[in-house]
Amino acid sequence: MDRINKKLGYIDRKELVIKRILQLFALISILTTIGIVITLFKEALVFLQEVSIVEFLTGKIWAPLLEPRHFGILPLVTGTMLIAVCSSIISLPLGLATAIYLSEYAPSRARKIIKPMLEILAGIPSVVYGYFALTFITPVLQKIYPGTEVFNAASASIALGIMILPMVASLSEDAMMAIPDSIRNGAYALGSTKFEVATKIVVPASISGIVSAFVLAVSRAIGETMVVAIAAGASPKLTFNPFESVQTMTGYMVNVALGDIQHGTIMYKTVFAVGAVLFIITFIMNIIAKLIVKKVGEAY
Amino acid sequence: MASYIKVENLDFFYGDFQALHNINLEIEPKKITALIGPSGCGKSTFIRTLNRMNDLIDGTRVHGKIILDGKSILKNEIDVVELRKRVGMVFQKPNPFPKSIYENVIYGPKRHGIRNKSQLDQLVEQSLKNVALWDEVKDRLNESALALSGGQQQRLCIARSLAMKPDVLLMDEPTSALDPISTLRIEELVQQLKEQYTIVIVTHNMQQAARISDITAFFLNGELIEYGQTEYIFTKPCDQRTEDYITGRFG
């Protein structure tokens, strides 16, 4: 009896150590996030002491470098949104269609070939997509629509859409594959066609997974840097024409980071201010997604 | 209208494995036909040939004839969607859709073109009354079907099939995942349903077959050993293997 108690005590202590170690790792990621947020907002607040928040959020001209300086972030926001929307128009429907094909239609042989290919697509570095946009997509666009500028939002959006597609497809497919076959069989036994099983049963049943895949994809499009920095240009313009050159928030930040700027200058501070806005936008998107998932989830 | 089914020389293969050998059987309308036999004897495979659910499995082949009210249903040109509308199926594990109770019942009718709201309402009420679930759920038709108990879910699945107004109802071990009380309710229900439908039920539970069925068919190793009136199969079977099985000597 004594020996068993001793043994149990040992196991308890061992479990406790393991628990503490795991807790520590979890804590590291939380602390890192908190640290980033604090730095971001601290520097952004310093920036707002020099530029009024009204000018920053509602100004229509972004010209931090040249006199007269203007610090209106709207052109960067619209640039970002233009590219996020255009790339989503490509990646979301195609990704969902791919996922439906893979999970409902594809024979296992086709799935074995297509899935790894999608993963390869996802593994290509984004800088490659950027040059692909600049040297391949843009010339094609210029042939179709001669007014296309060398740097333009459309080309970056298409490349970005292709880049994000595997993520949408793969995450949505995971959600659909999680639906048990017994449910599909129930629908088939009621005389459903394959398409009805996919669209009326499987997609609605896995909608929360699909919505999270979509939101992750859009967040990724908003946060992606290399493709837009290379292909979309560097001219902050308040436009919704995808064939023009634009600049996104990330594109601006990387441009500034590449130049040599002094610590403490206004240019330096703009990076944090823009970064804070970017953070708030993605944060709000994540909250909206959570709400959507919760609402849709509750309906059933 | 309850259907008459005639099965002639039916062979079935999963790839190279022959799961059914030369099955010949007649399934009569307004009667309950029970399929019994040990695990892996082919009874589930057989019931799934009757609404061609096996088509969904890759690499299966079927030879022979299944004639439903004079029409052969194994031909390629047969519309399986139309066939499954006439031949409903209830599965071993309750499998309601992750939708509301109401949506579950109208799923089938909606797929086949019924859009009229009052007609659908009526179908829901009638189907749920048929399975004695109406009183339990009438105030929460818009709640998730997944919130129901297992027995209620299975009755909902039966209601869902009945809403299609089928001629045949196939039941693949419909009570094996349920508690004794729910099982009893389903058994009573099945006996009422036979007034209108042709019912084929696969069961592992020999007492159940004896209690509710009119005809019993005994399967072993992919062969139909014998079939006939349930009382004869259980009291004076012709084949020694049937007797061994029902007396519990194997299986």
Side-chain angles (χ1 to χ4, degrees):
Chain A
M1 199 63 199
D2 233 29
R3 257 180 60 196
I4 291 173
N5 279 339
K6 249 189 198 158
K7 181 94 182 148
L8 280 179
Y10 169 71
I11 288 172
D12 280 352
R13 257 178 290 136
K14 201 171 138 195
E15 280 295 312
L16 191 74
V17 170
I18 290 171
K19 190 177 146 190
R20 289 276 175 264
I21 290 172
L22 294 176
Q23 258 175 355
L24 188 73
F25 287 137
L27 206 63
I28 287 173
S29 65
I30 293 171
L31 288 178
T32 318
T33 313
I34 293 173
I36 290 173
V37 173
I38 290 175
T39 332
L40 206 55
F41 282 90
K42 213 177 91 196
E43 297 285 342
L45 282 176
V46 176
F47 170 80
L48 285 178
Q49 281 164 3
E50 292 176 42
V51 178
S52 85
I53 190 158
V54 178
E55 192 206 328
F56 178 55
L57 291 180
T58 62
K60 295 194 179 90
I61 300 171
W62 182 258
L65 201 59
L66 305 163
E67 295 290 348
R69 296 180 187 226
H70 291 282
F71 297 97
I73 200 177
L74 279 183
L76 295 183
V77 173
T78 55
T80 301
M81 288 304 156
L82 182 64
I83 284 175
V85 168
C86 290
S87 62
S88 300
I89 288 172
I90 293 165
S91 67
L92 303 190
L94 283 182
L96 183 60
T98 309
I100 291 177
Y101 173 72
L102 283 177
S103 120
E104 304 303 310
Y105 286 86
S108 53
R109 274 210 352 247
R111 189 182 303 148
K112 269 183 206 145
I113 297 168
I114 295 169
K115 265 221 118 171
M117 275 175 63
L118 275 177
E119 274 149 25
I120 291 172
L121 210 56
I124 298 173
S126 59
V127 61
V128 176
Y129 279 100
Y131 281 103
F132 172 66
L134 189 64
T135 60
F136 180 76
I137 301 176
T138 301
V140 172
L141 285 178
Q142 281 172 326
K143 279 213 183 83
I144 298 167
Y145 178 69
T148 311
E149 294 176 12
V150 174
F151 296 106
N152 65 83
S155 150
S157 300
I158 292 169
L160 200 50
I162 298 169
M163 189 176 128
I164 295 169
L165 192 152
M167 190 175 84
V168 178
S170 171
L171 290 177
S172 305
E173 195 226 347
D174 288 346
M176 291 182 203
M177 292 292 267
I179 305 299
D181 270 344
S182 67
I183 299 217
R184 289 188 184 85
N185 285 336
Y188 281 122
L190 290 168
S192 306
T193 61
K194 219 165 194 154
F195 186 67
E196 284 167 345
V197 171
T199 55
K200 307 283 180 189
I201 300 293
V202 178
V203 169
S206 51
I207 195 73
S208 59
I210 294 170
V211 170
S212 356
F214 281 11
V215 171
L216 269 175
V218 176
S219 299
R220 176 101 191 268
I222 290 174
E224 167 53 34
T225 310
M226 274 330 273
V227 176
V228 292
I230 293 169
S235 39
K237 239 185 288 177
L238 192 61
T239 176
F240 291 102
N241 180 355
F243 299 103
E244 283 180 35
S245 161
V246 296
Q247 188 167 41
T248 65
M249 291 188 268
T250 52
Y252 170 74
M253 288 162 76
V254 76
N255 271 1
V256 172
L258 290 176
D260 74 290
I261 45 158
Q262 302 274 292
H263 182 97
T265 59
I266 185 87
M267 282 291 282
Y268 174 82
K269 289 167 197 158
T270 55
V271 174
F272 290 93
V274 172
V277 172
L278 190 59
F279 174 80
I280 290 169
I281 291 176
T282 32
F283 188 70
I284 291 173
M285 282 215 31
N286 279 324
I287 290 176
I288 292 173
K290 284 255 158 60
L291 290 179
I292 293 175
V293 168
K294 209 174 156 198
K295 190 138 189 273
V296 178
E298 267 171 5
Y300 295 134
Chain B
M1 188 199 72
S3 292
Y4 175 78
I5 301 170
K6 192 170 192 315
V7 179
E8 289 176 2
N9 308 323
L10 188 76
D11 291 321
F12 187 87
F13 301 84
Y14 292 106
D16 294 331
F17 174 73
Q18 185 165 4
L20 292 175
H21 298 265
N22 195 28
I23 307 292
N24 287 280
L25 180 65
E26 285 169 42
I27 297 169
E28 292 175 43
K30 301 193 179 183
K31 285 205 172 137
I32 298 171
T33 302
L35 312 179
I36 62 168
S39 299
C41 68
K43 57 194 189 308
S44 281
T45 301
F46 173 72
I47 201 173
R48 290 165 60 93
T49 60
L50 300 177
N51 65 345
R52 290 191 39 183
M53 282 299 277
N54 290 320
D55 288 14
L56 299 171
I57 305 169
D58 285 342
T60 58
R61 274 178 305 138
V62 59
H63 301 304
K65 268 187 184 167
I66 297 177
I67 299 160
L68 178 72
D69 293 331
K71 258 177 90 180
S72 174
I73 61 163
L74 291 183
K75 289 183 184 154
N76 280 331
E77 62 268 23
I78 285 289
D79 180 358
V80 283
V81 166
E82 203 55 34
L83 170 69
R84 289 176 193 155
K85 194 175 146 189
R86 288 185 56 197
V87 183
M89 185 167 211
V90 176
F91 296 82
Q92 187 171 359
K93 237 182 88 208
N95 57 350
F97 303 132
K99 297 175 185 285
S100 71
I101 295 168
Y102 186 90
E103 289 280 336
N104 262 279
V105 181
I106 64 167
Y107 176 85
K110 252 179 134 178
R111 295 284 80 69
H112 297 96
I114 299 176
R115 291 270 179 270
N116 182 309
K117 174 88 171 92
S118 64
Q119 208 180 340
L120 288 173
D121 286 348
Q122 210 186 340
L123 252 177
V124 169
E125 180 170 347
Q126 190 196 336
S127 310
L128 290 174
K129 275 182 174 162
N130 272 338
V131 298
L133 193 58
W134 176 250
D135 289 327
E136 291 162 56
V137 302
K138 66 180 173 201
D139 300 320
R140 46 181 179 133
L141 292 175
N142 291 317
E143 281 176 32
S144 169
L146 301 179
L148 299 173
S149 73
Q152 287 174 323
Q153 286 187 3
Q154 193 63 303
R155 277 183 282 151
L156 177 64
C157 291
I158 297 172
R160 187 170 77 178
S161 295
L162 297 184
M164 302 285 289
K165 304 203 181 299
D167 304 323
V168 181
L169 194 57
L170 308 176
M171 308 180 104
D172 190 358
E173 297 185 49
T175 61
S176 66
L178 303 181
D179 65 83
I181 293 169
S182 303
T183 299
L184 199 66
R185 295 198 70 162
I186 302 263
E187 286 182 6
E188 283 167 11
L189 171 66
V190 172
Q191 277 177 310
Q192 286 161 20
L193 292 175
K194 80 168 183 187
E195 314 277 321
Q196 298 172 60
Y197 304 96
T198 304
I199 294 177
V200 184
I201 181 167
V202 167
T203 178
H204 255 122
N205 179 331
M206 271 174 293
Q207 285 81 6
Q208 183 172 63
R211 274 196 300 269
I212 66 172
S213 70
D214 303 295
I215 310 284
T216 296
F218 173 59
F219 283 74
L220 186 65
N221 299 329
E223 286 176 57
L224 176 60
I225 304 301
E226 67 175 303
Y227 80 102
Q229 301 277 337
T230 297
E231 52 194 272
Y232 289 114
I233 295 285
F234 278 92
T235 51
K236 348 184 193 4
C238 302
D239 196 289
Q240 185 58 42
R241 289 168 294 183
T242 314
E243 189 175 341
D244 289 348
Y245 182 69
I246 58 172
T247 53
R249 241 167 267 171
F250 71 92

